[in-house]
Amino acid sequence: MDQEGLKTRLPAAIAERVKSASMIGERAIVVVDASGLSAGERDAVEKKIEQSLGVAEGVAEVRVAMMADKVERRIIAVGSGKGGVGKSTLTTNLAVALKRLGLKVGVVDADIYGPSQPKLLATEGQKPQAVDDKLVPIASKYGVPSLSIGHLVKPAQALAWRGPMAVGALAQLIDADWGDVEVLLIDLPPGTGDVQLSMLQKHKPDGAVLVSTPQDLALIDAARAGQLFDTGGVPIIGLVENMAGYQCPHCGETSDPFGCGGVEAAAGRLELPFLGRIPLNMAIRIAGDSGEPPAAGDGEEAAAFRDIAQKLADWLAREAA
């Protein structure tokens, strides 16, 4: 049986991926282009080939070889140095916006003690599978796969883990089988502790986005996070000002409970790019709680996230060039 004879016995979608197929004695050897397939998908393709060819006359054994181009994946950290400034919401919406711009994006929820991504991406209650000792990320309806400690433990379970355990958990999340993901956003926990240091040492990001609310107290902590990245040789892509300006839904008056312009001014002093500001908006909060990122839509709330994502995409393109 020649190559065409073997391929005709396979489903069309799989046959298109076959680079070569031949018979050596009673052994069928099939080489498959596995580019863009996750570990689970590769396993399914291999089993289907074995099932399809294993029943063919004259075939006693089927061997499948998977070949794929190595994906050049870049890691982007999203940090703040302080909790409660909207870093997780920004990460989720940047990921969704980047996906809509045509990039293949994944999210790692590195906040081991306070994971948020399962709720923000509507993947609560789902458990990742493991293939070849690697976790397979959880798919979302927005085309953004993610992994979080929240996918591995019971909901609302308090983790009393020491630093080494948290660091080990983060390594499993980052070293997972991310398939064809090109950009991996890391939603960092607040502070500059073990998790951040471990990431810099073992999974050095290609760049970092810093997010802060406008008031001085938050900016002090954001500056500490920036110093950590600078010390680790990680470029700061830019700063984002969150919760900037609140428009009353009743009278329409705009106020600034956290101040306004502080992050942009800090970016100017530090000679770093200012990527944009996200308003303090009830709709964004409600969307986050319901697992419906505003960036997935086309409303007014999506615009700010889309603009910041475009600047990040431009930075990635320049770096690649």
Side-chain angles (χ1 to χ4, degrees):
M1 193 183 309
D2 61 10
Q3 175 167 296
E4 288 305 313
L6 291 169
K7 290 177 67 174
T8 56
R9 293 178 176 272
L10 300 174
I14 295 178
E16 291 176 355
R17 286 184 171 272
V18 173
K19 298 174 73 70
S20 68
S22 60
M23 292 290 301
I24 299 180
E26 295 185 334
R27 178 186 299 160
I29 300 176
V30 183
V31 179
V32 178
D33 177 10
S35 299
L37 298 180
S38 67
E41 290 169 333
R42 290 197 296 269
D43 188 53
V45 167
E46 183 174 351
K47 288 181 179 178
K48 189 62 178 179
I49 292 174
E50 291 173 348
Q51 292 170 356
S52 300
L53 300 184
V55 297
E57 184 178 354
V59 177
E61 181 183 0
V62 179
R63 291 194 177 181
V64 181
M66 296 285 184
M67 300 179 64
D69 296 331
K70 185 176 180 181
V71 176
E72 184 179 350
R73 185 171 300 122
R74 284 174 289 176
I75 296 176
I76 303 299
V78 181
S80 64
K82 185 176 181 64
V85 298
K87 161 187 51 59
S88 295
T89 298
L90 176 66
T91 302
T92 303
N93 282 278
L94 281 183
V96 172
L98 287 170
K99 171 67 177 178
R100 297 187 70 184
L101 289 173
L103 281 74
K104 297 174 181 177
V105 189
V107 173
V108 167
D109 189 348
D111 196 342
I112 303 299
Y113 303 108
S116 302
Q117 292 303 330
K119 175 173 282 293
L120 290 167
L121 284 168
T123 58
E124 288 180 293
Q126 300 186 45
K127 300 289 185 182
Q129 301 297 312
V131 177
D132 296 331
D133 296 325
K134 285 183 176 289
L135 293 174
V136 178
I138 301 291
S140 75
K141 60 184 177 181
Y142 307 107
V144 175
S146 67
L147 277 175
S148 167
I149 200 67
H151 292 131
L152 301 172
V153 302
K154 295 179 181 178
Q157 178 180 343
L159 296 181
W161 288 0
R162 295 187 183 276
M165 293 182 67
V167 168
L170 175 61
Q172 285 192 330
L173 301 182
I174 296 180
D175 291 332
D177 184 0
W178 288 98
D180 61 353
V181 165
E182 303 166 315
V183 181
L184 195 58
L185 298 185
I186 312 293
D187 178 11
L188 285 176
T192 53
D194 288 341
V195 170
Q196 291 87 346
L197 292 172
S198 174
M199 184 192 65
L200 288 175
Q201 293 170 353
K202 298 181 180 180
H203 307 281
K204 184 177 178 180
D206 296 272
V209 173
L210 296 180
V211 55
S212 176
T213 48
Q215 78 269 35
D216 290 344
L217 189 60
L219 284 166
I220 291 171
D221 289 330
R224 292 192 182 102
Q227 289 172 3
L228 177 69
F229 288 121
D230 188 53
T231 301
V234 176
I236 304 297
I237 300 170
L239 279 68
V240 174
E241 183 171 284
N242 197 22
M243 305 183 194
Y246 172 73
Q247 185 176 42
C248 177
H250 304 292
C251 68
E253 182 180 351
T254 299
S255 59
D256 298 299
F258 295 107
C260 182
V263 177
E264 184 173 10
R269 290 195 301 271
L270 298 171
E271 298 182 343
L272 291 172
F274 177 66
L275 301 180
R277 54 175 51 90
I278 308 295
L280 181 60
N281 187 303
M282 182 73 76
I284 293 175
R285 195 276 299 168
I286 293 173
D289 284 350
S290 61
E292 299 177 355
D298 298 309
E300 183 180 345
E301 292 78 20
F305 294 113
R306 184 172 58 247
D307 291 345
I308 294 171
Q310 184 63 65
K311 292 175 182 176
L312 176 54
D314 292 343
W315 184 90
L316 289 166
R318 290 195 299 270
E319 290 299 304

